[in-house]
């Protein structure tokens, strides 16, 4: 009898952990990556310039700051799983609004709401996913949070191409968002039915510079994370447009590249997390950021397939780096304090990320291509690389 109960409990833990890992599909794939996938069709359908199409991407990160504020206000009194469920509900609302938009303002509002809701997911997912995991396995598990993003992007790329071919409509984009609404609501329902966690210890306050300062090399970590945020926001917002214009690829081919980015992400994040469990976080952070800088340079300086290679390399490392940062923080923070620390770090991340997409779009409009914009993104990656090289490299998580 005891063995049977233990087996059922283990099965439930696996199911709940799997559901938690799937939530980052909503926060990062639906809330961020999907818009970059659909931008070429949205520009043609609604007649946007590059600068205009950068506005919804900027709205994502402005809304993310607001989402972070809401999470930090709620964290002292509300359980992490409740915050996560709320984030999923708000994301479904935003995606639904965006799918109905006929102009820039409602589109930016819907995309922004969906992206901002991701704060309630990403600031709680690493803690919830590692609740029943030993410290020396955290890197791999948090890497799985990012690998689900890559898996989703594979499906989105293939699915979008299939829908467009089936309908004969190369400008199709609204049904993609509507399918995402249904998935998000289904995931929310599953978490309500299945996810149960023990109450966490109360913590005081929302933002916490004192807790952030307890993280080794917190200044360098925070600025490196922020530079990554700015770089990834600009890269992802215009990657498929750059593939069309600079890579000179057909739209159906660019969606295939988007799926290849997802494949590389599925493999990259958990492998990077597992390696960091063995050799330390810093070493793998340096490697990931080197790959990201190389990806920016390939897009900036290449034509044709080198641009596609840059996109695939970005897909491999873009999920790894934030997962590694989250694991690095998780090694020194626990329960609700993790959300407070990550929220405090995320403010600078979101502010820089909010400035990038519209700026990159305007620069592309002004120069006529994406060479200079992606050189700027490469400079941001290089700054982050210099900073992470100086972080401590702890082989064994301290596990506070």
């Amino acid at each position: 009898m005891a063995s049977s109960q233990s087996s059922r409990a283990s099965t439930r833990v696996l199911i709940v952990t799997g559901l938690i890992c799937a939530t980052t599909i909503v926060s990062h794939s639906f809330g961020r990556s999907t818009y970059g996938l659909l931008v070429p069709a949205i520009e043609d359908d609604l007649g946007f310039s590059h600068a205009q199409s950068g506005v919804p991407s900027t709205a994502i990160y402005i809304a993310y700051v607001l989402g972070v504020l809401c999470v930090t206000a709620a964290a002292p009194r509300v359980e992490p799983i409740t915050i996560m469920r709320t984030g999923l509900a708000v994301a479904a609302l935003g995606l639904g609004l965006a799918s109905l938009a006929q102009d820039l303002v409602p589109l930016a509002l819907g995309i922004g709401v969906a992206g901002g809701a991701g704060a309630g997911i990403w600031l709680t997912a690493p803690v919830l996913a590692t609740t029943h995991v030993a410290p020396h396995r955290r890197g791999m598990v948090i890497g799985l949070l990012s690998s689900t993003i890559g898996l989703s992007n594979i499906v989105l790329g293939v699915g979008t191409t299939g829908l467009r071919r089936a309908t004969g409509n190369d400008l199709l984009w609204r049904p993609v968002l509507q399918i995402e609404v249904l998935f998000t609501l289904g995931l929310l329902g599953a978490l309500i039915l299945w996810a149960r966690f023990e109450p966490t210890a109360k913590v005081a306050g929302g933002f916490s510079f004192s807790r952030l300062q307890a993280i080794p090399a917190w200044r360098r970590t925070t600025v490196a994370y922020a530079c990554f945020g700015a770089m990834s926001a600009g890269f992802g917002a215009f990657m498929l447009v750059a593939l069309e214009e600079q890579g000179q690829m057909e739209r159906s081919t660019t969606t295939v590249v988007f799926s290849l980015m997802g494949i590389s992400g599925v493999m990259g994040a958990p492998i990077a997390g597992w390696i960091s469990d063995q050799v330390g976080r810093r070493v793998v952070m340096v490697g990931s950021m080197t790959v990201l800088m190389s990806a920016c340079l390939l897009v900036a300086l290449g034509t044709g397939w080198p641009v596609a290679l840059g996109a695939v390399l970005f897909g491999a490392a873009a999920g790894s780096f934030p997962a590694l940062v989250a694991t690095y923080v998780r090694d020194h923070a626990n329960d609700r304090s993790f959300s407070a620390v990550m929220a405090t770090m995320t403010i600078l991340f979101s502010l820089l990320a909010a400035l990038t997409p519209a700026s990159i779009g305007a620069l592309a409009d002004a120069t006529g291509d994406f060479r200079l914009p992606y050189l700027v993104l490469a400079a941001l990656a290089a700054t982050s690389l210099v900073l992470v090289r100086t972080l401590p490299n702890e082989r064994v998580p301290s596990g506070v």
Side-chain angles (χ1 to χ4, degrees):
M1 179 68 71
S3 175
S4 176
Q5 290 177 341
S6 176
S7 176
R8 285 198 298 270
S10 297
T11 300
R12 188 182 188 89
V13 166
L14 287 174
I15 291 173
V16 171
T17 301
L19 290 172
I20 296 298
C21 287
T23 61
T24 52
I25 292 174
V26 179
S27 63
H28 285 66
S29 183
F30 297 175
R32 296 185 187 179
S33 301
T34 297
Y35 181 67
L37 168 68
L38 301 178
V39 159
I42 291 173
E43 284 187 348
D44 291 347
D45 185 34
L46 300 181
F48 292 166
S49 66
H50 294 330
Q52 287 176 309
S53 62
V55 171
S57 289
T58 292
I60 289 173
Y61 296 98
I62 293 174
Y64 199 82
V65 173
L66 298 177
V68 169
L69 292 172
C70 292
V71 170
T72 54
R77 298 177 298 278
V78 181
E79 290 296 327
I81 186 61
T82 303
I83 294 174
M84 173 177 281
R85 289 169 179 157
T86 303
L88 289 169
V90 174
L93 174 63
L95 292 167
L97 290 173
S99 73
L100 302 175
Q102 300 291 334
D103 206 348
L104 181 59
V105 172
L107 179 67
L109 177 62
I111 294 295
V113 168
I121 299 169
W122 180 245
L123 294 179
T124 55
V127 165
L128 295 173
T130 56
T131 296
H132 305 289
V133 173
H136 67 279
R137 298 187 187 277
R138 286 174 181 162
M140 183 179 67
V141 172
I142 295 179
L144 288 173
L145 290 173
S146 292
S147 72
T148 58
I149 301 168
L151 182 62
S152 172
N153 287 348
I154 295 170
V155 175
L156 282 171
V158 173
T160 299
T161 300
L163 283 172
R164 287 173 177 168
R165 285 178 177 170
T167 60
N169 181 8
D170 207 32
L171 301 183
L172 178 146
W173 59 275
R174 298 179 193 277
V176 177
L177 297 176
Q178 291 161 357
I179 291 170
E180 291 179 349
V181 172
L182 295 177
F183 178 93
T184 302
L185 291 175
L187 182 57
L188 173 60
L191 284 176
I192 291 172
L193 290 173
W194 282 88
R196 300 289 183 271
F197 291 89
E198 293 295 324
T200 55
K202 301 293 190 224
V203 297
F207 292 106
S208 178
F209 282 101
S210 63
R211 290 189 179 89
L212 174 58
Q213 290 167 2
I215 306 300
W218 67 273
R219 290 185 181 87
R220 283 167 282 166
T221 305
T222 300
V223 176
Y225 187 49
C227 288
F228 163 79
M231 181 276 299
S232 62
F235 196 111
F238 291 102
M239 187 62 254
L240 267 72
V241 181
L243 284 169
E244 285 192 18
E245 296 186 6
Q246 192 148 314
Q248 300 176 346
M249 295 180 181
E250 297 293 330
R251 185 159 298 171
S252 58
T253 305
T254 66
T255 55
V256 172
V257 174
F258 187 85
S259 292
L260 292 175
M261 292 169 65
I263 292 172
S264 64
V266 168
M267 297 185 296
I271 290 173
W274 177 80
I275 294 173
S276 79
D277 287 334
Q278 316 306 312
V279 303
R281 314 301 182 203
R282 185 195 67 198
V283 174
V284 191
M285 284 185 193
V286 169
S288 295
M289 191 50 66
T290 301
V291 171
L292 289 168
M293 183 178 67
S294 301
C296 293
L297 290 174
L298 280 169
V299 177
L301 304 177
T303 56
W305 283 104
V307 179
L309 176 60
V312 174
L313 289 176
F314 175 82
S320 302
F321 189 80
L324 290 165
V325 171
T327 307
Y328 180 78
V329 172
R330 182 69 171 96
D331 290 341
H332 302 276
N334 207 348
D335 298 330
R336 297 185 193 180
S337 62
F338 172 87
S339 294
V341 172
M342 284 301 297
T344 307
M345 289 179 62
T346 299
I347 290 298
L348 182 59
F349 172 104
S350 300
L351 290 175
L352 290 185
L355 295 173
T356 311
S359 301
I360 292 298
L363 190 57
D365 285 337
T367 59
D369 59 37
F370 285 94
R371 295 183 187 280
L372 184 56
Y374 276 81
L375 283 175
V376 172
L377 298 179
L380 287 167
T383 302
S384 184
L385 174 61
V386 170
L387 291 168
V388 296
R389 280 179 60 87
T390 63
L391 296 181
N393 192 56
E394 300 166 329
R395 283 179 171 269
V396 181
S398 59
V400 295

